[in-house]
Amino acid sequence: MIAPQQRYALEDLYAEYARRLDDGPLSGWPELFTEACLYRVVPRENHDAGLPLAIMHCESRAMLADRVRAVAETIMHEPRYLRHHITNVVPEPHPDGGYALRANFSVIEVLQDELPRILCVGRYLDRVVEQSGGELRFAEKLVIYDSVMVPNTIVYPL
């Protein structure tokens, strides 16, 4: 069992994750991860088949910061707004320490001259650890999106 205070703290981490991706600054997103971390975005079909192909793969906070820099400085795309909805957060103790979590997500995208649309839907399989100062951080975040096809407009982290 997870104590109620820890459950609330874990849910707060997910809320902060969504806030930084949706409202920014995006440069603060990598701070929610440990220095040595793993962030992968994988199609469900590949995950279920045990295939390693990922459309995003970062192995450290520095690589996440590079991704943010690429979004801000080098990738050309139409301005957009995102809204992450993270639900059904289920934590349990992780055998290597910290917590193993599963959560569902959906991301709504709004372009300036279009109606909102669903950009991506799937689940997170995460490992969260407590840092020395008591802050919770993602050590691993596996983003598994459900569709076979992925929109070419995924430029921001999920």
Side-chain angles (χ1 to χ4, degrees):
M1 287 294 291
I2 305 293
Q5 306 94 311
Q6 278 307 100
R7 179 178 289 275
Y8 295 138
L10 290 163
E11 289 181 6
D12 285 348
L13 177 64
Y14 279 91
E16 184 63 15
Y17 182 89
R19 188 192 67 76
R20 289 188 190 192
L21 289 177
D22 293 347
D23 299 327
L26 187 58
S27 60
W29 172 70
E31 297 168 5
L32 298 175
F33 291 81
T34 58
E35 287 291 335
C37 61
L38 180 63
Y39 175 83
R40 298 184 73 226
V41 178
V42 179
R44 180 181 191 158
E45 184 177 42
N46 286 9
H47 175 74
D48 291 349
L51 299 173
L53 182 64
I55 64 168
M56 278 189 217
H57 181 100
C58 298
E59 297 178 357
S60 68
R61 188 187 298 168
M63 288 180 78
L64 296 175
D66 283 345
R67 180 68 192 172
V68 168
R69 204 168 11 266
V71 168
E73 298 174 8
T74 62
I75 297 175
M76 299 297 292
H77 59 86
E78 186 176 349
R80 65 201 66 232
Y81 300 103
L82 300 176
R83 289 289 164 224
H84 287 69
H85 303 107
I86 303 171
T87 64
N88 303 341
V89 177
V90 179
E92 56 187 49
H94 191 280
D96 295 334
Y99 304 94
L101 293 104
R102 178 188 172 111
N104 297 329
F105 75 88
S106 61
V107 181
I108 308 298
E109 177 181 57
V110 181
L111 295 152
Q112 290 181 346
D113 296 332
E114 296 181 23
L115 291 171
R117 68 183 177 118
I118 297 173
L119 177 67
C120 198
V121 175
R123 69 181 186 250
Y124 296 132
L125 298 178
D126 300 331
R127 186 165 72 89
V128 171
V129 297
E130 191 170 328
Q131 301 288 272
S132 59
E135 298 113 356
L136 295 171
R137 295 291 179 256
F138 293 101
E140 296 177 16
K141 178 168 274 299
L142 179 58
V143 181
I144 303 167
Y145 60 91
D146 287 335
S147 63
V148 174
M149 298 179 65
V150 61
N152 61 2
T153 58
I154 292 185
V155 294
Y156 289 91
L158 295 171

